[in-house]
């Protein structure tokens, strides 16, 4: 039982008392709604805190919130940071540096209310996939560009070859039964000279 109590997720109040969770501590809060970057999150004691999150986490949460009936944020080694807004409301804050310790769980697809399917999302994994996808896209684009340049070069060479062939075909080459025209002229001149000079 003692071990089980140690493994229970922290509550908001416990985190506020600790200030910062240790390596074994986790904060699990259920997302119930949001207004812009401010998310309404309830802990295991059903205590609510509004949490301000970075844009990258906001984008992920919005996409998951539309697909799953329940969304849970799991934060390992959480840190208590608060900010009082203009209305006097106290908000918890998650920073970009915290994302490496945060995963998001989506439970029960909205498309199938009876399903118990769940999925875990990691900001690090998502970012890595996006970078890999971007890299593959860049390499593919570069490959297509090189292929296009090579094809264009081949077309240019082929066009030059066809042009040379056309020039050669258009150039008149007079032959008389396999004997070139200049040779015929020379022979005719010698015969003419021998006939009229004799």
């Amino acid at each position: 039982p003692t071990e089980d109590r140690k493994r229970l997720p922290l509550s908001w109040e416990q985190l506020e008392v600790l200030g910062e969770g240790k390596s074994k501590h986790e904060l699990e809060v259920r997302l119930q709604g949001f207004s812009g970057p401010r998310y309404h999150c309830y802990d295991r004691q059903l205590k609510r805190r509004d949490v301000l999150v970075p844009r990258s986490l906001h984008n992920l949460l919005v996409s998951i919130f539309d697909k799953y009936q329940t969304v849970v944020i799991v934060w390992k080694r959480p840190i208590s940071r608060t900010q009082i807004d203009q209305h006097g409301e106290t908000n918890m804050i998650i920073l970009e540096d915290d994302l490496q310790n945060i995963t998001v769980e989506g439970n029960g697809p909205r498309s199938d209310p009876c399903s118990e399917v769940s999925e875990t999302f990691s900001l690090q994994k998502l970012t890595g996939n996006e970078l890999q996808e971007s890299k593959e896209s860049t390499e593919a684009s570069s490959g297509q560009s090189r292929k296009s340049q090579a094809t264009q070069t081949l077309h240019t060479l082929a066009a030059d070859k066809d042009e040379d062939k056309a020039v050669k075909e258009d150039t008149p080459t007079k032959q008389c039964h396999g004997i070139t025209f200049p040779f015929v002229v020379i022979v005719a001149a010698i015969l003419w000279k021998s006939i009229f000079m004799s």
Side-chain angles (χ1 to χ4, degrees), residues 65-188:
F65 190 73
D66 290 338
K67 296 177 182 178
Y68 291 92
Q69 299 178 58
T70 61
V71 177
V72 177
I73 298 174
V74 181
W75 186 0
K76 296 180 179 180
R77 301 188 66 179
I79 299 174
S80 177
R81 303 188 192 90
T82 58
Q83 179 188 67
I84 300 176
D85 62 19
Q86 57 185 355
H87 303 293
E89 298 280 341
T90 300
N91 301 303
M92 301 295 291
I93 301 175
I94 293 177
L95 303 178
E96 286 283 348
D97 291 342
D98 301 321
L99 298 182
Q100 60 183 339
N101 295 321
I102 291 177
T103 56
V104 181
E105 297 176 359
N107 302 304
R110 292 184 183 274
S111 58
D112 186 4
C114 298
S115 174
E116 296 182 357
V117 172
S118 64
E119 189 171 1
T120 301
F121 301 85
S122 168
L123 260 296
Q124 280 188 315
K125 183 178 179 181
L126 180 66
T127 304
N129 287 340
E130 288 176 347
L131 290 174
Q132 182 64 24
E133 219 173 21
S134 174
K135 181 180 178 182
E136 290 175 355
S137 176
T138 302
E139 289 177 349
S141 175
S142 177
Q144 289 177 356
S145 177
R146 288 194 297 269
K147 183 177 179 181
S148 176
Q149 291 177 358
T151 303
Q152 185 177 4
T153 302
L154 289 174
H155 286 169
T156 303
L157 292 174
D160 292 343
K161 185 176 181 180
D162 291 340
E163 186 177 350
D164 291 342
K165 183 178 180 181
V167 170
K168 290 179 181 178
E169 290 176 349
D170 292 341
T171 303
T173 53
K174 299 181 180 180
Q175 293 184 350
C176 298
H177 302 289
I179 304 175
T180 60
F181 180 73
F183 181 75
V184 173
V185 172
I186 294 173
V187 171

